[in-house]
């Protein structure tokens, strides 16, 4: 239903890049909601329920499509689902120890990580601006976590959230890799389902041996986040068919800005040093995707080379 009605409207009216930009607004708002949800639930149980309900919501509307699931769909769903569990699970665990705004800014570090992972896997050398952006973003991380100051210092929450960015970067790359060759609807349903399964399996591993007490507030939070997660994942899979992973990553850089704004409205107050660190993270993300033109080289080059350069 979502694929047959909403996605065609997105394609006609706003396009894939604008759709991803809208995703960042919704995505940014989920951090405050998750932070509150963790007062009612343990992290991995929360993550598992969030993605299980999301998978069921889409699956009930599109269960007929699952009969046509291919081996390629299944492989893609398992790989993406595992990265989702690792990324969101680590992020949610970390949010027990830091604010939602801090979590959002740190999580955004997966943006400059995408090109470096592409280099490790596909030997695609990152642009020098990517290296500069990554350095600036890392400086922002140090300031965001207090830089060893007496008032605030890097704790377990900062560290585990920073590690979660590796899995989230891998998720972005996997989505771009598989999206053109698989059934979008089937992979979205199955990746959310496998993410939930992996999260449930991990509960005893991380020490979660008891279920939280029943709460209607928790049910409402999980239900709302599940709907948001379903829309986010389906839109990401659809949009990244035509938007490459690096471009998608820089669009997602808007997510911590929205999370910071919404966190501020919700009453979070970061220290001045942390705010400056957050600003540096965003600047680093933007620098990592900046590609300045070499004007002097173009002037001196033959006409044919100029035309080729402009095309690029």
């Amino acid at each position: 239903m979502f694929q047959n009605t909403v996605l065609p409207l997105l394609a006609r009216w706003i396009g894939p890049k604008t759709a991803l930009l809208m995703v960042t607004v919704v995505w940014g708002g989920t951090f405050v909601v998750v932070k509150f949800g963790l007062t009612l639930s343990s992290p991995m149980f929360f993550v598992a329920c969030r993605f299980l309900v999301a998978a069921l919501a889409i699956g009930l509307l599109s269960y007929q499509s699952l009969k046509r699931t291919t081996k390629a769909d299944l492989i893609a769903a398992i790989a993406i689902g595992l990265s989702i569990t690792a990324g969101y699970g680590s992020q949610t665990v970390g949010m027990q120890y830091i604010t939602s705004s801090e979590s959002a800014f740190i999580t955004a570090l997966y943006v400059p990580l995408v090109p470096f992972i592409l280099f490790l896997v596909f030997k695609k050398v990152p642009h020098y601006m990517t290296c500069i952006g990554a350095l600036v973003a890392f400086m922002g991380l140090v300031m965001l976590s207090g830089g060893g100051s007496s008032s605030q210092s890097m704790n377990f929450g900062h560290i585990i959230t920073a590690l979660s960015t590796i899995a989230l970067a891998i998720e972005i790359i996997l989505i771009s890799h598989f999206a053109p060759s698989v059934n979008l609807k089937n992979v979205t349903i199955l990746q959310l389902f496998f993410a939930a399964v992996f999260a449930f399996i991990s509960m005893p591993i991380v020490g979660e041996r008891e279920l939280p007490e029943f709460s209607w507030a928790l049910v409402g939070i999980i239900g709302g986040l599940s709907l948001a997660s379903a829309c986010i994942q389906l839109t990401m899979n659809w949009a990244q068919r035509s938007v490459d992973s690096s471009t998608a990553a820089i669009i997602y850089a808007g997510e911590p800005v929205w999370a910071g704004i919404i966190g501020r409205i919700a009453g979070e107050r970061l220290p001045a040093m942390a705010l400056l660190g957050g600003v540096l993270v965003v600047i680093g993300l933007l620098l990592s995707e900046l590609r300045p033109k070499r004007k002097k080289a173009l002037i001196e080059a033959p006409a044919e080379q100029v035309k080729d350069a402009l095309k690029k």
Side-chain angles (χ1 to χ4, degrees), residues 39-61:
T39 63
L40 305 171
S41 173
S42 55
M44 297 311 297
F45 178 79
F46 187 88
V47 171
C49 291
R50 173 181 179 178
F51 290 116
L52 179 61
V53 175
L56 292 175
I58 302 178
L60 289 175
L61 297 174

Side-chain angles (χ1 to χ4, degrees), residues 235-311:
T235 302
M236 285 173 64
N237 285 11
W238 164 74
Q240 285 192 228
R241 281 184 165 181
S242 55
V243 179
D244 64 85
S245 57
S246 293
T247 301
I250 194 59
I251 294 175
Y252 298 149
E255 169 264 316
V257 177
W258 290 111
I261 293 172
I262 296 171
R264 179 81 177 181
I265 295 173
E268 291 184 353
R269 296 294 183 269
L270 294 178
M273 181 69 75
L275 284 174
L276 181 56
V279 171
L280 281 180
V281 168
V282 175
I283 291 175
L285 306 183
L286 297 174
L287 286 175
S288 68
E289 293 299 317
L290 186 63
R291 299 295 181 265
K293 296 181 179 179
R294 299 178 180 178
K295 295 182 179 180
K296 184 176 180 180
L298 288 177
I299 293 174
E300 296 176 350
E304 293 78 7
Q305 294 182 11
V306 173
K307 292 179 181 179
D308 292 339
L310 291 175
K311 288 180 181 178

Side-chain angles (χ1 to χ4, degrees), residues 85-309:
T85 301
Y88 281 87
S90 301
Q91 178 198 82
T92 306
V93 169
M95 208 179 293
Q96 295 178 109
Y97 307 93
I98 59 179
T99 67
S100 64
S101 299
E102 286 178 301
S103 177
F105 281 116
I106 295 173
T107 300
L109 290 172
Y110 72 81
V111 175
L113 274 180
V114 169
F116 286 107
I117 294 177
L118 286 173
F119 168 70
L120 292 175
V121 177
F122 301 108
K123 305 303 179 183
K124 183 178 179 180
V125 179
H127 194 275
Y128 72 91
M129 288 302 298
T130 298
C131 300
I132 295 174
L135 179 61
V136 173
F138 179 76
M139 292 170 58
L141 171 61
V142 173
M143 297 177 67
L144 188 63
S145 60
S149 64
S150 58
S151 60
Q152 182 186 12
S153 59
M154 182 172 286
N155 59 31
F156 175 76
H158 295 114
I159 295 172
I160 194 67
T161 305
L163 291 175
S164 75
T165 62
I166 299 174
L168 294 174
I170 292 174
E171 178 197 352
I172 299 299
I173 294 171
L174 288 175
I175 289 175
S176 287
H177 175 71
F178 288 115
S181 59
V182 297
N183 183 298
L184 171 65
K185 188 187 301 182
N186 290 348
V187 172
T188 301
I189 297 169
L190 292 173
Q191 74 186 39
L192 292 170
F193 172 75
F194 282 117
V197 170
F198 293 139
F200 278 125
I201 292 174
S202 70
M203 285 179 61
I205 299 175
V206 298
E208 296 182 22
R209 294 179 172 81
E210 295 182 2
L211 298 179
E213 295 183 4
F214 177 82
S215 166
W216 283 113
L218 180 60
V219 172
I221 290 172
I222 291 176
L225 281 175
S226 298
L227 180 61
S229 297
C231 293
I232 287 172
Q233 292 297 324
L234 195 54
T235 302
M236 285 173 64
N237 285 11
W238 164 74
Q240 285 192 228
R241 281 184 165 181
S242 55
V243 179
D244 64 85
S245 57
S246 293
T247 301
I250 194 59
I251 294 175
Y252 298 149
E255 169 264 316
V257 177
W258 290 111
I261 293 172
I262 296 171
R264 179 81 177 181
I265 295 173
E268 291 184 353
R269 296 294 183 269
L270 294 178
M273 181 69 75
L275 284 174
L276 181 56
V279 171
L280 281 180
V281 168
V282 175
I283 291 175
L285 306 183
L286 297 174
L287 286 175
S288 68
E289 293 299 317
L290 186 63
R291 299 295 181 265
K293 296 181 179 179
R294 299 178 180 178
K295 295 182 179 180
K296 184 176 180 180
L298 288 177
I299 293 174
E300 296 176 350
E304 293 78 7
Q305 294 182 11
V306 173
K307 292 179 181 179
D308 292 339

Side-chain angles (χ1 to χ4, degrees), residues 44-85:
M44 297 311 297
F45 178 79
F46 187 88
V47 171
C49 291
R50 173 181 179 178
F51 290 116
L52 179 61
V53 175
L56 292 175
I58 302 178
L60 289 175
L61 297 174
S62 310
Y63 66 93
Q64 292 290 346
S65 177
L66 291 175
K67 297 178 181 178
R68 298 186 295 274
T69 300
T70 64
K71 182 179 179 181
D73 294 341
L74 197 60
I75 292 173
I78 292 174
I80 297 173
L82 184 59
S83 64
I84 290 174
T85 301

